[in-house]
């Protein structure tokens, strides 16, 4: 069975881009993979520097995953900082990481270009991510398209390490779902916590409706034909509508008659209904935080045992065991 691993940052409310780009894919893998899922609080520290926000965000992200259907009995599910071994591996990998490899990373360059004050953690972010992936000898790493380059960095580091010290790490493959590769936000740009354009998964009805109604559309009159494939609203509808209904709406776009207001109302109802059960379950987890923490601690113990197998080998290969 393939070992599939991915993590998510607890740096804000999780949104439907996170859900379709990563969370759903991971939950679906539970059926046929040796699955590793974790909340990357150490990565989130590069942008969240607020104790309450980080610790509460971590518990919420964990509750989100469980509420959406992740079963901790059928996977390994933990919080990154509960396994300090990952930081040791990160340091060792850092010594195998050329500066140029990190300097080329779009994610870092974009953030700097946006005026975000870069700290060393942000620069070294892909090395910590490589440590996450390589520590567990992952075969497949499902991520959104924006993380593809980070995966390439992890592969490059693994190859370099193996060449220098002998075969140690499995070389991971990315898994990027093309249909949901990039979920657009309400403004048509990539939906992202950092752009303030998200539709959070667990909004209450009223704010959810308001958010859906704020999806930007053009000002073509209702009766005029429109191109569904360039429409932000249609791209979001595609994720939730049944195929028959989607085809009907597609025809309205192409032949004229698609009224954005009605379609938004329909999208709001679809999103609300899709997540109804999960919303209830999330509340239950958050009301029972001791239970939630127990799940995470058990997961960390399971993951740590696996992590130590790799780390001992690594220490030995590089000469840190004497
Ligand atoms: P954000 O951009 O909101 O901060 P993250 O960078 O924490 O999101 O991404 C968490 C996971 O969700 C990653 O696997 C990422 O590729 C995926 N993801 C984030 N936004 C989207 C999106 N708009 N479409 C598809 N996948 C996404
Ligand atoms: N960088 C990833 C993101 O923001 C999160 C992440 C950290 C991750 N470590 C990982 C994803 C390891 C996959 C594998 O989305």
């Amino acid at each position: 069975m393939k070992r599939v691993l991915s993590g998510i940052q607890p740096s804000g409310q999780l949104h439907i881009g996170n859900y379709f780009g990563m969370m759903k894919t991971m939950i679906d893998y539970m059926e046929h993979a040796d699955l590793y899922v974790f909340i990357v609080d150490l990565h989130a520290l590069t942008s969240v520097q607020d104790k309450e926000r980080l610790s509460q965000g971590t518990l919420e992200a964990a509750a989100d995953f469980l509420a959406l259907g992740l079963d901790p009995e059928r996977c390994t599910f933990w919080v990154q900082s509960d396994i300090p071994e990952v930081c040791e591996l990160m340091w060792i990998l850092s010594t195998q990481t050329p500066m140029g490899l990190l300097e080329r990373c779009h994610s870092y360059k974009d953030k700097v270009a946006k005026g975000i004050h870069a700290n060393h953690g942000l620069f070294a972010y892909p090395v910590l991510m490589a440590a996450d992936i390589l520590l567990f000898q992952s075969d497949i790493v499902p991520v959104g398209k924006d993380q593809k380059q980070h995966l390439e960095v992890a592969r490059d580091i693994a190859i370099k390490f193996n060449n220098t010290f002998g075969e140690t790490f499995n070389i991971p493959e990315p898994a990027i779902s093309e249909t949901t590769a990039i979920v657009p936000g309400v403004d048509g740009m990539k939906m992202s916590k950092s752009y303030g354009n998200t539709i959070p998964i667990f909004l209450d009805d009223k704010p959810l409706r308001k958010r859906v109604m704020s999806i930007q559309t053009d000002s073509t009159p209702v009766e005029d034909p429109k191109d569904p494939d360039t429409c932000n609203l249609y791209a979001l509808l595609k994720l939730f509508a049944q195929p028959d209904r989607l085809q009907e709406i597609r025809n309205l776009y192409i032949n004229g008659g698609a009224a954005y207001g009605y379609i938004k109302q329909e999208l709001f109802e679809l999103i609300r209904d899709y997540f109804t059960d999960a919303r209830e379950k999330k509340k239950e987890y958050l009301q029972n935080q001791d239970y939630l923490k127990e799940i995470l601690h058990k997961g960390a113990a399971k993951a740590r045992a696996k992590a130590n197998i790799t780390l001992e080998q690594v220490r030995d290969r590089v000469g840190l065991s004497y």
Side-chain angles (χ1 to χ4, degrees):
M1 212 164 17
K2 294 271 187 204
R3 189 167 285 182
V4 176
L5 169 145
S6 194
I8 198 156
Q9 289 197 58
S11 53
Q13 284 175 308
L14 296 179
H15 52 74
I16 62 177
N18 297 138
Y19 179 69
F20 286 103
M22 187 270 194
M23 301 170 86
K24 181 175 186 303
T25 320
M26 292 306 276
I27 292 165
D28 293 345
Y29 265 117
M30 218 161 42
E31 303 297 327
H32 48 266
D34 179 17
L35 186 65
Y36 290 69
V37 186
F38 54 118
I39 311 297
V40 296
D41 55 345
L42 293 170
H43 276 108
L45 253 188
T46 60
S47 60
V48 181
Q49 279 144 21
D50 174 323
K51 176 185 158 145
E52 278 310 309
R53 244 188 84 203
L54 186 59
S55 56
Q56 190 54 30
T58 300
L59 284 178
E60 289 228 9
D64 287 356
F65 250 118
L66 296 169
L68 289 164
L70 193 76
D71 177 354
E73 298 295 326
R74 290 157 71 203
C75 67
T76 306
F77 181 51
W78 76 101
V79 174
Q80 187 185 33
S81 64
D82 278 336
I83 306 195
E85 284 81 356
V86 75
C87 294
E88 182 178 343
L89 181 61
M90 180 201 174
W91 177 256
I92 297 171
L93 297 180
S94 285
T95 66
Q96 294 299 304
T97 308
M99 290 293 284
L101 192 62
L102 300 181
E103 280 161 359
R104 281 195 294 277
C105 284
H106 305 302
S107 164
Y108 170 74
K109 286 198 292 192
D110 289 352
K111 285 184 176 144
V112 173
K114 283 207 191 77
I116 293 173
H117 272 294
N119 52 46
H120 175 254
L122 194 65
F123 183 67
Y125 184 110
V127 190
L128 180 58
M129 184 160 159
D132 285 333
I133 295 169
L134 302 179
L135 190 58
F136 297 95
Q137 304 287 9
S138 317
D139 296 307
I140 298 173
V141 183
V143 283
K145 213 174 192 168
D146 58 324
Q147 294 294 316
K148 193 165 177 243
Q149 193 184 30
H150 287 163
L151 246 287
E152 281 156 15
V153 170
R155 287 169 58 91
D156 285 353
I157 295 175
I159 292 168
K160 179 125 194 291
F161 187 100
N162 286 352
N163 285 341
T164 311
F165 297 107
E167 280 305 305
T168 308
F169 293 120
N170 195 30
I171 310 299
E173 295 286 342
I176 295 161
S177 148
E178 283 309 321
T179 45
T180 57
I182 293 194
V183 176
V186 294
D187 57 358
M189 312 249 291
K190 171 193 175 271
M191 186 178 289
S192 171
K193 282 165 251 164
S194 35
Y195 303 155
N197 63 356
T198 68
I199 302 178
I201 302 171
F202 292 106
L203 274 189
D204 286 332
D205 289 2
K206 225 174 148 187
L208 175 63
R209 184 167 185 281
K210 201 168 163 209
R211 199 60 76 92
V212 173
M213 289 297 160
S214 76
I215 293 171
Q216 285 175 21
T217 42
D218 60 26
S219 52
T220 321
V222 174
E223 37 325 324
D224 286 7
K226 311 175 183 62
D227 181 0
D229 298 322
T230 56
C231 178
N232 187 23
L233 175 60
Y234 186 81
L236 288 165
L237 194 75
K238 256 196 327 208
L239 300 168
F240 293 95
Q242 295 298 324
D244 291 356
R245 180 63 188 142
L246 191 67
Q247 187 59 49
E248 279 171 24
I249 296 178
R250 192 175 174 82
N251 293 341
L252 288 176
Y253 268 85
I254 294 169
N255 302 320
Y260 291 136
Y262 283 108
I263 298 174
K264 285 182 187 175
Q265 175 66 27
E266 189 165 339
L267 177 62
F268 155 66
E269 288 168 15
L270 285 168
I271 298 176
R272 181 196 59 195
D273 296 349
Y274 190 99
F275 294 116
T276 299
D277 291 350
R279 207 170 282 124
E280 282 312 304
K281 285 198 191 120
K282 177 172 178 176
K283 280 194 192 125
E284 284 167 24
Y285 280 113
L286 289 180
Q287 278 161 5
N288 196 351
Q289 296 202 359
D290 288 344
Y291 176 57
L292 182 56
K293 287 178 190 172
E294 191 188 315
I295 292 177
L296 293 170
H297 293 157
K298 266 196 196 163
K302 220 160 107 183
R304 203 164 182 186
K306 295 263 165 54
N308 270 306
I309 299 173
T310 308
L311 194 59
E312 295 232 329
Q313 252 185 1
V314 170
R315 285 192 193 119
D316 184 53
R317 294 270 151 87
V318 302
L320 290 173
S321 52
Y322 58 87

